[in-house]
Amino acid sequence: MHPLLPLCVFWLLPLALTLEEDSSLDCVPRRSVPYHRDNAHLFHEEGVFNYSTMLLREDLDLLLLGAREAVYALDLNDISKKLASVKWEVTQQQKDECKNKGKDPETECKNYIRILHQTEDNKMYVCGTNAFDPECDYMSYSKGKLTLEKKGEDGKGKCPFDPFQRYASIMVENNLYSATSMNFLGSEPVLMRSSPVSIRTEFKSSWLHEPNFVSMAQMPESYLSEEGDDDKVYLFFSESAVECDCYNKLLVSRVARVCKGDLGGRRTLQKKWTSFLKARLDCPVLESQLPYIIQDTYRSCDPQKHWKDCLFYAVFTPQSDTSDLSAVCAYRVSDISKVFAEGKYKTAVPVETSFVKWVMYSGEVPVPRPGACIDNEARKAGITQTLDIPDQTLQFIKDKPLMDQAIQPIGERPLLVRRGATFTRIIVNRVQAAGGEMYHVMFIGTEEGTMLKAVNYDGEMFIIEEVQLFQPPEPIKILKFSNVTGQLYAGSDYGAAQTPLATCGRSLSCMDCVLARDPYCGWDKAVGKCVFLSSSQRELIQSLKEGDASLCPDADPVKPMNRSIWPGGNLKLRCPSPSNLAKTSWERHGSPLTTSTRLQLLRDGLLILNATDSDTGRYRCLSVELSKADEYTTTVAEYQVSMATAGSGGRSVIPPQARMDGPSVAGLQVVVGLLLVSLLALLGWNFYKGHLPLPWNCRKKNREQSQETHEQGGLNASVKYQDALRPAPAEDKPLVLGANNGRNNNHTGEEAVAFSVEENDNPQATLPSLQYIDDESDI
């Protein structure tokens, strides 16, 4: 899709890192859960779409859900319960103006809610696209009612014009940071802080070059900082690479950051960021020559540890249509911060071929360091705010905002690479297992409306399950998690869904529960169930890294089910596999079965064809699943198959017969009788009225017609022949036989003439010279 120059390929060599051989690109979820209304609480309102903006108000037990021209207040514990809603629709005049600008009035010229943030006075700040004229307002919830204050703030630079354009925003201490486009055409991308002093990026391709914004996050880097550093706001996005020597555009993933206390420069970079720096993010995927593109991120921090130990999890997808792989990479905040604080810069160098080449800057770097926040060292030099930064430093960062070094993921490889449904969103939850270890469980939304639950166990990526949340399948566009309810919330164009972190009850046996390797679940021997860890105080059986089910008690024997089959008949014995990682096998009388012409081993059962006496006996379906600890075999189903014959076993077995009595047959007989009576009455009425001739009148009438036809036969034949040679009028064209106009699709033209001859009983009407009109030009 993107043919590159050799120099560009050389530049991408770091992306050619390969994965270990045991990493499977076809990482299969152990359990696939099809769509069912019990999978999640669902919310959808008729006629409303695009539920892609969410705000958790855990203090009010609310989920604020932004959709197209509406905001909903839903019960946080059960989002299928709507507590309040408010409409925010565009006027007819706004829709007409939007339509006049060339936009679709039914899709684009609506008000898509894109910004929902909580303010410090417990109100909500909400913005919408407003028919390509973005607008913002304040919203409050009181006494079970949502209310818009209708202040009508300008939303340019805060909210996108285009409802289908990616954007990012975050509210920090009542200051809105947003990344979107400033104009109608989408040609002026900005990273902007709206207040107290409006600060934005430069309109230069070296700062932002056709970006696709993804997400934003704040890092409290001033907390207990020995250097007196400032808090940072990180922006993740993709853009066309200005540093690549390519004929075609090459997309790369980026992370940028700005300092929270940035006020802009005094002369240079007035009301512009003085701390804007960006670097390339790599997520090396096997066999990929082109960089993978970032789609979403999630910040995961341990509250007991320093901010430098926080991680950013990100999902990546290919920019080429030839690949169907998606990946998850994790990055340490400390690694990102180090590149910005100590890394080299890139600079643009003109070359003879009249284009600009970007190379590592090896010259002298001014002091204070370009792009750095105000710290203790700067304060000692008399620089207490960005307005005091020298112009030399500001001019440097204005021309060179790009870092030379790319940021590599942890282990320099993805945590997960999977072929199949494209990844869209990610959330990571920390959970403490039964043994006390902490694990990061990844919940990944896909383009097909499913959600994957996966864990990385010491380098081994294990997908616990894949659950279908939406039907019909719709891409998951947003994911949120509530610590209060312990529930996940997903949004799509169709609606919103709420689902628990785990549904342990899907595992019906101890072996299935342990082999699921779900950190949230364990087997409770006292109650004989797979239960949620936090709901039980007893010691539970759990083996996450090894999948060791040896501690499980012996399972209860499977009760055989009786099945009968007729000689020469077919029978299917069902055996649904409890796991996608397990293989099923069949035994008859303890001997393994193999596929033959009459025995078909299916994925969900065994099919017996053209049965004989040798097919009777006891069948057993076994599930064999391999874990790191051992291979485990369990009996899934058992059948006792017997041959159904008349009189077998002292009982008379009667083959199925057609039912000749009963209320349904009697009713049918009554209906048939009534129809016959009605038909006879209808015939009698038509004979009486003369609509149908009586039988004894038919012969007389036929003789009279025969005589009349004989007398006028010559005249009629002559008239018909002349009519056939006369050109047909234009409106009569459908009657031309040669045109095969569909009135008699079962006959050719010759057959139609023959039919006419037989009907008129006139040998002169064969007309061998008669021609048919096939084209209107012949008329």
Side-chain angles (χ1 to χ4, degrees), residues 495-512:
Q498 171 192 353
T499 184
L501 294 171
T503 309
C504 305
R506 291 193 179 111
S507 296
L508 302 179
S509 67
C510 177
M511 184 177 296
D512 189 32

Side-chain angles (χ1 to χ4, degrees), residues 214-457:
V214 169
S215 63
M216 300 177 78
Q218 181 206 7
M219 289 305 304
E221 299 184 18
S222 65
Y223 181 71
L224 299 177
S225 172
E226 297 178 356
E227 298 83 13
D229 203 354
D230 193 7
D231 290 347
K232 311 289 195 309
V233 173
Y234 287 88
L235 170 66
F236 294 89
F237 63 104
S238 61
E239 67 173 351
S240 297
V242 295
E243 71 272 27
C244 180
D245 302 329
C246 310
Y247 282 126
N248 289 350
K249 294 178 182 178
L250 177 73
L251 298 180
V252 293
S253 301
R254 302 281 200 208
V255 56
R257 68 115 172 97
V258 293
C259 303
K260 190 178 71 173
D262 197 336
L263 300 176
R266 189 174 301 276
R267 290 175 295 272
T268 306
L269 294 179
Q270 289 185 13
K271 295 187 177 182
K272 308 294 194 305
W273 296 107
T274 66
S275 55
F276 179 83
L277 291 173
K278 64 179 181 178
R280 195 177 82 241
L281 272 180
D282 280 350
C283 185
V285 179
L286 182 68
E287 299 176 355
S288 172
Q289 294 297 322
L290 296 173
Y292 268 50
I293 304 306
I294 191 168
Q295 299 298 330
D296 192 33
T297 65
Y298 184 80
R299 190 195 70 172
S300 178
C301 294
D302 186 345
Q304 307 300 324
K305 294 183 179 181
H306 196 268
W307 63 264
K308 291 185 177 181
D309 296 317
C310 292
L311 302 176
F312 281 114
Y313 288 84
V315 293
F316 291 80
T317 58
Q319 61 180 299
S320 170
D321 296 335
T322 59
S323 176
D324 61 349
L325 299 177
S326 297
V328 177
C329 282
Y331 305 87
R332 293 187 183 91
V333 174
S334 57
D335 293 339
I336 300 175
S337 180
K338 185 176 180 180
V339 169
F340 289 133
E342 304 174 9
K344 298 285 188 179
Y345 300 87
K346 274 190 178 295
T347 185
V349 177
V351 294
E352 294 179 358
T353 53
S354 73
F355 69 90
V356 174
K357 182 179 181 65
W358 286 78
V359 297
M360 184 183 73
Y361 178 76
S362 56
E364 183 179 353
V365 177
V367 177
R369 180 179 170 86
C373 299
I374 304 299
D375 56 12
N376 293 335
E377 186 176 347
R379 295 185 186 98
K380 288 179 182 179
I383 302 174
T384 59
Q385 56 183 349
T386 59
L387 294 171
D388 301 329
I389 297 177
D391 287 342
Q392 183 183 7
T393 298
L394 296 180
Q395 190 63 48
F396 185 97
I397 198 63
K398 181 178 180 179
D399 298 332
K400 307 173 184 63
L402 177 61
M403 308 306 296
D404 181 68
Q405 182 181 350
I407 298 169
Q408 298 296 329
I410 297 174
E412 298 188 347
R413 53 167 289 178
L415 294 176
L416 169 65
V417 179
R418 182 174 186 255
R419 176 173 284 115
T422 304
F423 294 170
T424 58
R425 299 293 183 268
I426 186 171
I427 272 187
V428 181
N429 183 247
R430 298 172 64 255
V431 57
Q432 185 174 4
E437 304 93 342
M438 295 298 299
Y439 293 98
H440 291 77
V441 183
M442 295 179 286
F443 297 89
I444 305 167
T446 74
E447 285 275 1
E448 296 180 359
T450 64
M451 188 169 66
L452 300 173
K453 180 162 71 172
V455 188
N456 191 284
Y457 293 123

Side-chain angles (χ1 to χ4, degrees), residues 564-572 598-599 607-613 615 641 643-644:
S564 298
I565 187 171
W566 292 96
N570 304 327
L571 177 65
K572 182 178 180 180
R598 293 193 308 102
L599 292 178
L607 183 60
I608 304 175
L609 303 172
N610 194 20
T612 63
D613 289 336
D615 295 319
V641 178
M643 188 64 66

